[in-house]
Amino acid sequence: DTGVSQDPRHKITKRGQNVTFRCDPISEHNRLYWYRQTLGQGPEFLTYFQNEAQLEKSRLLSDRFSAERPKGSFSTLEIQRTEQGDSAMYLCASRGNRGQQAFFGQGTRLTVV
Amino acid sequence: DAKTTQPPSMDCAEGRAANLPCNHSTISGNEYVYWYRQIHSQGPQYIIHGLKNNETNEMASLIITEDRKSSTLILPHATLRDTAVYYCIVRVETGANNLFFGTGTRLTVIP
């Protein structure tokens, strides 16, 4: 257990539905990252928060993807109008101001049917 | 964005040292070399990082060549639980400090 928790661990949804995932980082970590990982590939960076500010979002895959971190603690990633190509593992990571290593959660596995 | 090259797969006998190579010939002077691993169905796990000196911790050793264009991760006594995908990443320590993963090396430890 790294201290980063993600919920849910698994999500099956029908195409066209909206889904939201939650990430709770390590409590004192001010930096939070979202990644997507498809089968056989390494994690792909999506977006980054420092406290509540979303400082990098150009890598979000389309305008159907959005992320928030309203109070600088937990974060949510929403995918609207899901497509089968959105099926993947969505990973969250957090990092402290002084720490150099990022800690990853176990991920949320999304299956769009 | 991944600036490293790794072999796609390697095998290692249990109890032997596993030596995982990584090429990063375009590394900049302010970029660190990081290693993470990912065991099946889990999130990536930090192993070790370094700038130009060799580093050792309880998990592994990192050997960086003098020109910094390549490095080797050494697991001194591989166990079956070390079977995983190992990612070598270069990262600058400013800004967002994103990790850009490649496809990594799948290490299989054989009994």
Side-chain angles (χ1 to χ4, degrees):
Chain A
D1 181 9
T2 63
V4 179
S5 61
Q6 293 189 243
D7 183 70
R9 291 291 310 278
H10 303 273
K11 177 72 176 178
I12 300 174
T13 191
K14 291 185 178 179
R15 190 173 50 188
Q17 298 293 304
N18 299 344
V19 294
T20 300
F21 311 138
R22 177 180 171 121
C23 171
D24 286 90
I26 293 171
S27 60
E28 64 268 24
H29 283 184
N30 62 339
R31 302 180 187 206
L32 188 146
Y33 306 82
W34 283 99
Y35 291 81
R36 183 181 81 153
Q37 186 172 24
T38 53
L39 201 60
Q41 302 297 313
E44 174 187 18
F45 169 72
L46 295 178
T47 190
Y48 159 69
F49 290 86
Q50 184 164 326
N51 300 310
E52 65 275 12
Q54 190 174 14
L55 298 184
E56 174 59 62
K57 58 181 179 180
S58 64
R59 301 280 182 147
L60 286 169
L61 301 162
S62 77
D63 58 8
R64 298 184 296 107
F65 287 71
S66 63
E68 291 184 340
R69 195 182 182 198
K71 298 182 180 179
S73 56
F74 73 92
S75 176
T76 57
L77 177 70
E78 182 182 17
I79 309 173
Q80 296 182 328
R81 305 180 304 281
T82 53
E83 302 172 356
Q84 285 190 319
D86 297 331
S87 295
M89 174 78 83
Y90 291 85
L91 292 159
C92 172
S94 73
R95 183 166 170 259
N97 224 4
R98 295 182 181 179
Q100 291 181 293
Q101 61 166 297
F103 294 84
F104 282 82
Q106 298 276 52
T108 294
R109 181 166 295 284
L110 173 67
T111 302
V112 182
V113 297
Chain B
D1 290 284
K3 298 169 63 174
T4 63
T5 304
Q6 299 177 251
S9 64
M10 292 181 63
D11 293 339
C12 178
E14 188 178 17
R16 305 296 293 268
N19 296 278
L20 292 91
C22 178
N23 283 320
H24 31 80
S25 58
T26 60
I27 192 170
S28 302
N30 61 347
E31 287 182 315
Y32 285 71
V33 179
Y34 278 75
W35 284 83
Y36 280 74
R37 74 179 183 184
Q38 189 171 25
I39 296 170
H40 183 62
S41 295
Q42 297 183 19
Q45 175 193 22
Y46 167 83
I47 301 173
I48 198 167
H49 75 281
L51 183 61
K52 50 185 173 182
N53 297 322
N54 298 338
E55 302 288 343
T56 295
N57 63 19
E58 65 278 5
M59 288 183 69
S61 295
L62 174 60
I63 309 298
I64 303 174
T65 57
E66 194 168 342
D67 63 7
R68 303 211 322 126
K69 293 185 177 182
S70 65
S71 61
T72 301
L73 178 75
I74 301 172
L75 308 178
H77 306 286
T79 71
L80 299 179
R81 287 182 293 183
D82 292 322
T83 293
V85 178
Y86 288 77
Y87 297 98
C88 169
I89 303 161
V90 296
R91 187 178 91 177
V92 65
E93 294 301 306
T94 58
N97 308 121
N98 304 338
L99 295 168
F100 289 102
F101 291 80
T103 50
T105 296
R106 180 173 297 279
L107 175 70
T108 302
V109 180
I110 302 168

